[in-house]
Amino acid sequence: MTPRPASGRAAAADRLARADRSRTFPPLPARPGARGLFAESWWGSAWLDALETTALDSARLARGRTYARDGHVDTINVAPGRIVATVRGSRPRPYSAEIRLRTLTEQEWDGLLGSIAADPGRLTELLAKKLPHALAEDEVRLLPGPGDLVPRCSCPDHGRPCKHAAALCFQMARLLDADPFVLLLMRGRGERELLDDLSRRNTAHTARETRVHTHAPAATRPPRHRRGPEAGGETRDAVTAPSAPADLGVAPGDPEAPGAPPVGGVPAKAALADRPRPPLPPPLPAPARPGSPPALPDGDGLPFDPAALEFLTADAAARAHACVSAAASTGHGAGRPPVHSPFPALPPWEDAIRLAATAHPTAGLTSATRALYRDLAAATGRTTTDVARSVAAWRQGGPEGLALLDAPWDPPAGDFDRARSALLAADLPALRPRHNHLTDADRGIQLRFGHDNRWYPYESEPGTEDWWPTGPADPDPVGALTTLLAR
């Protein structure tokens, strides 16, 4: 028999439950120079006690504490039984650190939640983001003890824990200080799930107490007080005998209960009717620069390349920042002009060069950029030298700089012709014109005139004709050549 598919409501509830059992926290701010206890709450200190009593090397713990204080721990993900984060060490690519903790059984959860629901004080403290001391003394051990925290890390250090896993534990103490529900999530239950369960248990507990009170003999129930009128219109407290037992078929507060106040509401027609709405507030200002994506650790068997994902994430952030900045510069409101994308469609080769030039804006060739250039060369049928030269051209002038790299053109008479006279008047070397180039091959210097009326400096080893873009473009040929000669 084919099982019936889950309804839309059940599927949505399942998605909420899965999301409730996984929380991701952004990197905590660094605290350089901080001294004293790392955790501020008693439960955060108890978490670190479990780490320190198990650690085999106090030096690794000290390094982990320093890593945590200096902000080396990136985004932290907490799920039942495990905590995962990337930790930046001495190498360029971070390591993946993990802490495992046993989850509670269903029987243990039943006992723990029952004790919380039965004591209003415990529930009040928990809702105030404080962990009641009594929970640490119950039979169900909520806080970890010696040996309960199991560290793992992708680094070559086999310490238990290594400094990366220790740094993650120290940062977790700060998260626990702010929200003890994180500890409950590590033990197996999400905050929404816990509060729903506690609400049901609290309602059932209250109902049981109400039934016991209702069935109690009249002589054992306390008298009820009412306000009665006196002479002069004043009121006094009047003590009345307990009334007869109420009908147990009607719950207190039920709309059908005699004397219950009518429930107010708004007709659906009135709630859905059109009405004037205030204008939307102006958008927030764009940040000064796009954000940087977190560095991802290497891993075996991943369905993607971490470096490529970082690369594309940085580009997406830069494009989004440019689009938001362009939209903000035109103002807001119904009458603003349409905003054109600052990133027009480009052929694959040009877009690949744009990505390489903007996602890694440094000019130096590192091992990461060399690997990137090799991959781009293999994907586009070019050489790594072609890729590196094209990246330099894009950094120099964007699409126009890349176009000037391989496509000479014949500029009309005017600025190009007057440039040679300006160079001679400034007592600069005489350059030979050819197409849009002014060249001195013996010195290895060249200026290229662009369609945007700017001059792009190039240099080469004398006599090799191996020209490379060098320095920024300049609308003044004298300024462009002077900068080139000063290198």
Side-chain angles (χ1 to χ4, degrees):
M1 181 177 178
T2 304
R4 296 178 60 186
S7 64
R9 182 175 298 179
D14 183 62
R15 286 194 298 271
L16 283 175
R18 288 198 303 269
D20 190 40
R21 291 197 177 191
S22 177
R23 293 180 64 180
T24 300
F25 298 89
L28 296 175
R31 298 195 301 184
R35 292 294 182 267
L37 296 176
F38 205 91
E40 298 177 357
S41 63
W42 71 266
W43 56 90
S45 299
W47 168 272
L48 292 182
D49 288 343
L51 167 70
E52 293 168 352
T53 53
T54 311
L56 303 179
D57 187 352
S58 59
R60 287 188 174 93
L61 282 184
R63 290 290 304 278
R65 181 190 294 265
T66 302
Y67 272 22
R69 279 207 173 107
D70 293 345
H72 284 234
V73 181
D74 290 328
T75 302
I76 301 175
N77 179 261
V78 182
R82 66 193 294 260
I83 315 153
V84 181
T86 54
V87 182
R88 288 175 280 109
S90 56
R91 298 183 180 181
R93 191 156 294 281
Y95 298 108
S96 177
E98 179 180 351
I99 305 294
R100 290 189 174 269
L101 178 65
R102 183 185 71 85
T103 58
L104 301 182
T105 65
E106 292 296 326
Q107 183 178 0
E108 289 173 325
W109 274 116
D110 185 65
L112 177 65
L113 296 179
S115 66
I116 296 174
D119 186 345
R122 296 186 184 186
L123 182 57
T124 302
E125 284 191 78
L126 198 58
L127 292 176
K129 301 294 185 180
K130 295 180 181 179
L131 193 67
H133 275 278
L135 292 186
E137 303 167 359
D138 281 350
E139 295 182 3
V140 179
R141 195 171 66 181
L142 185 60
L143 286 162
D148 287 350
L149 300 178
V150 182
R152 297 181 182 179
C153 187
S154 62
C155 73
D157 185 0
H158 297 293
R160 188 175 178 89
C162 68
K163 54 183 175 290
H164 311 102
L168 174 57
C169 277
F170 280 110
Q171 292 296 63
M172 278 305 302
R174 294 176 63 185
L175 292 180
L176 292 175
D177 281 344
D179 189 356
F181 279 99
V182 176
L183 176 62
L184 296 167
L185 174 58
M186 284 186 280
R187 286 299 196 180
R189 297 283 181 92
E191 180 175 357
R192 181 191 299 272
E193 182 181 8
L194 285 172
L195 293 180
D196 289 346
D197 196 333
L198 288 172
S199 177
R200 289 191 295 268
R201 290 171 182 266
N202 191 51
T203 301
H205 185 76
T206 303
R208 285 195 299 270
E209 288 187 344
T210 302
R211 285 196 296 270
V212 170
H213 179 79
T214 302
H215 286 288
T220 64
R221 294 202 299 270
R224 294 183 299 173
H225 294 263
R226 64 176 177 84
R227 306 288 287 182
E230 278 190 336
E234 296 181 355
T235 59
R236 63 177 179 85
D237 285 342
V239 180
T240 61
S243 60
D247 183 5
L248 297 181
V250 180
D254 197 296
E256 285 79 14
V263 179
V266 178
K269 183 177 181 180
L272 299 177
D274 290 335
R275 60 187 184 277
R277 293 177 174 84
L280 293 176
L284 295 176
R289 59 185 61 86
S292 300
L296 300 176
D298 287 324
D300 298 329
L302 295 177
F304 59 87
D305 179 8
L309 184 58
E310 293 175 20
F311 185 65
L312 295 175
T313 304
D315 176 65
R319 293 165 68 98
H321 181 266
C323 291
V324 171
S325 300
S329 64
T330 61
H332 65 280
R336 67 178 182 180
V339 179
H340 300 286
S341 171
F343 293 93
L346 296 174
W349 165 250
E350 293 185 23
D351 198 47
I353 295 302
R354 178 194 64 80
L355 279 168
T358 55
H360 290 278
T362 58
L365 275 179
T366 64
S367 59
T369 54
R370 286 191 180 96
L372 173 65
Y373 291 174
R374 285 195 301 269
D375 293 342
L376 285 180
T380 57
R382 310 289 183 103
T383 66
T384 53
T385 302
D386 291 338
V387 174
R389 198 192 315 264
S390 299
V391 167
W394 188 281
R395 288 175 180 159
Q396 186 186 53
E400 180 63 21
L402 185 60
L404 291 177
L405 186 64
D406 298 316
W409 62 290
D410 294 318
D415 292 339
F416 183 78
D417 296 325
R418 288 190 291 269
R420 297 181 64 201
S421 301
L423 295 175
L424 292 174
D427 199 22
L428 293 173
L431 305 181
R432 296 172 60 89
R434 178 175 175 80
H435 298 299
N436 61 319
H437 300 174
L438 293 177
T439 308
D440 185 345
D442 294 335
R443 292 175 179 265
I445 56 177
Q446 184 183 81
L447 296 180
R448 299 189 182 186
F449 188 57
H451 294 86
D452 57 357
N453 294 327
R454 293 195 300 167
W455 295 90
Y456 292 76
Y458 277 66
E459 66 179 356
S460 170
E461 288 295 327
T464 62
E465 296 289 325
D466 184 25
W467 299 104
W468 281 77
T470 306
D474 196 314
D476 179 17
V478 175
L481 187 56
T482 302
T483 303
L484 183 59
L485 292 173
R487 291 179 61 85

